[in-house]
Amino acid sequence: MKEKKLDWFFKPRSIAVVGASEAPGKLSAIIMDSLLTSGFKGRVYPVNPKHKSVMSLECYPAIEDIEGGVDLAVFAVPAPLTPGLIKRAGGKLKGGIIVSGGFAEGGSEAGRALQEELKEIVKDGGPRLIGPNCMGVYDSISKVDTFFISKERIKRPKKGSISILTQSGSFALTAMDELASEGIGVARLVSYGNKVDVNESDCLDFLAKDPATKAVLLYIEAIDEGRRFVESAAACAAKKPVMAVKMGRRAEGASAALSHTGAMAGRYEVYRAAFKKANVIELEGYEEFIDGCRAFTMQDMAEGPRVLIITDGGGIGVAIADACTNSGLAVAGLTEEKKQALKAGFPPYFTIENPMDLTGSVTDELFAAALEKSMEGSGFDIAIVAPLWGPPNITDRLPELLAEKAKKIGKPVLVCTPGGNYTRRKKKLFEKRGLPVFSTPESCVRAASVLSGKKAAGR
Amino acid sequence: MKEKKLDWFFKPRSIAVVGASEAPGKLSAIIMDSLLTSGFKGRVYPVNPKHKSVMSLECYPAIEDIEGGVDLAVFAVPAPLTPGLIKRAGGKLKGGIIVSGGFAEGGSEAGRALQEELKEIVKDGGPRLIGPNCMGVYDSISKVDTFFISKERIKRPKKGSISILTQSGSFALTAMDELASEGIGVARLVSYGNKVDVNESDCLDFLAKDPATKAVLLYIEAIDEGRRFVESAAACAAKKPVMAVKMGRRAEGASAALSHTGAMAGRYEVYRAAFKKANVIELEGYEEFIDGCRAFTMQDMAEGPRVLIITDGGGIGVAIADACTNSGLAVAGLTEEKKQALKAGFPPYFTIENPMDLTGSVTDELFAAALEKSMEGSGFDIAIVAPLWGPPNITDRLPELLAEKAKKIGKPVLVCTPGGNYTRRKKKLFEKRGLPVFSTPESCVRAASVLSGKKAAGR
């Protein structure tokens, strides 16, 4: 029942911050502040033999001095002190997050020895550990937040339905900040760094059963237990979409990954085979990761790779079609029957093909009607609607009308609306109504490709 | 001396707006308003037999009634009226821009006949024509602006050093709006639609000699005169970088391109061969187009494809390295000599490799020093600096210090700084100082790849 213990990381009743301090800018001060101000409902215990109180809370000399112990402790103290503190806490600690660096990632003999010491503690029945050299956990539901960068610099995402697992702390920060600023929510986010104990497989086991998580995205540099990963990922993927980006793919990238989390980034081909076996959708990089987050926040998997494109600007339709073809998505034509039916209902200057060009004379109502009628039946799996806001009869009603039709259709509908300030302001209208909106043809197509499980490309 | 006549489109002393009207939202009213309020220094003549005056200017019944004629006329009247109006103007008109649709692009017999009529007029020594079915010209220097979408919906870019040629009007609008909102300037922008006369080759001949244009970007659906294009593009590319994106590449895209500008989109391979022969850098799509604009606005061509990556967040460095390798750029290691020299001057926890990871403990000064020292000598052609703003010692001084070093280095320096609102506000500090800044690893690498002329990939 090892996996069950992960509950302590996401739903702790109490958290000790070891190395607690009030000094502005200190890691522990940022973590304390987050836990005290962001809505975490459990108890918070500052731990530091140097202080009597921290942020108006009684400060304990050590974890073992806290009556009844704690579910979770965050260690923000120098690496050499950490193993001893965990040992001394003994049975009074259920889970630990070690945010400090100074372990195997630096490549020094001393760092490696300290990491080995942590491993021994876990083996000997000690608490489960996340890290070291990591950001830890951000949980939008329980409000556990051990990310030691101030909210001013790195925004926290709102409550959402996707969960993210990442080895790289800087990637975790960047992605969470980007998602938060884009209004995309997250359920749980784990940065596990050097993975002395808890790794991606443990987290996948937890997330597979987590009702708050509807889709999982992984940022992977290296996996240690390959067979277990395939099992855990496949079990999770059987319940909800699992996506992964493998970083440090090529020789150059691999050496960088080695130095910064102390793990060996193995051969890329092995990872691809593992992803395939486990039904994990492979993502290409940062952009596809963010686009995938946006897509799965508002839409479900598509049944296939057949895309219909509707636009009021011919050139953008062509650009989307090209990007689809490059990504292995199918941009098949309309059946003769459907063409005739559509032509009967629309002005003669509409181009009734795929892409469908409704021209600058389009109205909100005609745009919505074109979406509904062309997606009727079984010809297409995904619709990409690309309204440019130049045409004078496109108004703020459009997002509402398109969202209504999207609901009726019951298949993923993505919006692609590139442009400047005016267009960017309108994007919010779509997202408010649950339609994911993208700023370039390529980003929208990346999302479509991910939603289709990249089926068409044979990947 | 045909090419010389293009001067009338970019530097006219006078412009007639044919079909002039005050009715809000009318094409001609938007064009009149732009010409009267955006700083165009020449004379503007409304032409419309139905009005005595338009926007407080005397309105003429026809072009031929304007004493001394005009350099340029914009035709915003129904297609069937256009050929007759041009013929009647005779020698009183030097250049015409036909923004109206209703010609060959619709595929109708009548439309095709009208377009043929325009061709005959040009052949018979009539004025040179841009269009029909186009947005015409936006010139940030002379302030000619025939784009008939209001500035509220589509922003106009500031004066800049790149010029853009595009067949698709919607692409022209979207790109200009995006560039304007991103603060990227443009010298001249031409949307030539059906190309009854002036085509990409004519424009390339003009831009080759245009001192205001430092780089040219083309959006191509189809080229009619292949041999001439290669000649003109090669001649222009000998003087300044020329980049092109070919849209409608695949079968599906091709059929869409056919319907919307009435031109046949030929086989993609033929275009690639033509680009290669003419030393035209091929762009992949919309994103690379915009990234290329940003890169060439602030930087010159790189001498080669060897990229050095410096970051304070390991994971982002790895992502950039991976994207470089995917794009055919080289992320070679540092020489042993250089490594030793760098290690001597920096804290031991810096990872002195490529990517170089300065960790979360970095300061502004150390970041700048790392850039200068690692780019010394002949090892690298392009530097990608990727500061994440989480680390507490990174301040607003960083952009200034990096820009100073970039000037000394004399090679392209690109900034990659992904993240949310805090980071996005900081981006402006880099661009103010002439450092192009990108929001994702992939977009920064697209720019690096374009600046290197995509040399490494053998494309």
Side-chain angles (χ1 to χ4, degrees), chain A residues 153 170 177 181-182 219 248-250 252 286-287 315 318 322 326 331 389 391 394 420-421 424 440 442 446, chain B residues 153 170 177 181-182 219 248-249 252 286-287 315 322 325-326 331 389 391 394 420-421 424 440 442 446:
Chain A
R153 292 208 170 201
S170 68
D177 188 28
S181 298
E182 290 291 314
Y219 172 100
R249 294 186 194 177
R250 309 282 182 255
E252 300 88 359
Y286 184 81
E287 291 181 343
V318 179
D322 272 2
N326 285 346
V331 189
W389 288 81
I394 292 297
N421 293 344
R424 292 172 193 184
T440 67
E442 289 93 336
R446 283 192 289 268
Chain B
R153 292 208 171 203
S170 69
D177 188 27
S181 298
E182 290 291 313
Y219 172 101
R249 295 186 193 176
E252 302 85 358
Y286 184 81
E287 291 180 345
D322 272 1
T325 313
N326 285 347
V331 188
W389 288 81
I394 291 297
N421 293 344
R424 292 172 193 184
T440 66
E442 290 93 335
R446 284 191 290 267

Side-chain angles (χ1 to χ4, degrees), chain A residues 334-344 352:
Chain A
L334 300 160
T335 61
E336 206 46 51
E337 203 187 332
K338 191 164 236 174
K339 259 192 215 178
Q340 291 316 321
L342 284 162
K343 277 185 180 168
I352 306 295

Side-chain angles (χ1 to χ4, degrees), chain A residues 382-397:
Chain A
I382 301 172
I384 294 181
V385 185
L388 300 182
W389 288 81
N393 300 322
I394 292 297
T395 78
D396 287 2
R397 283 261 296 152

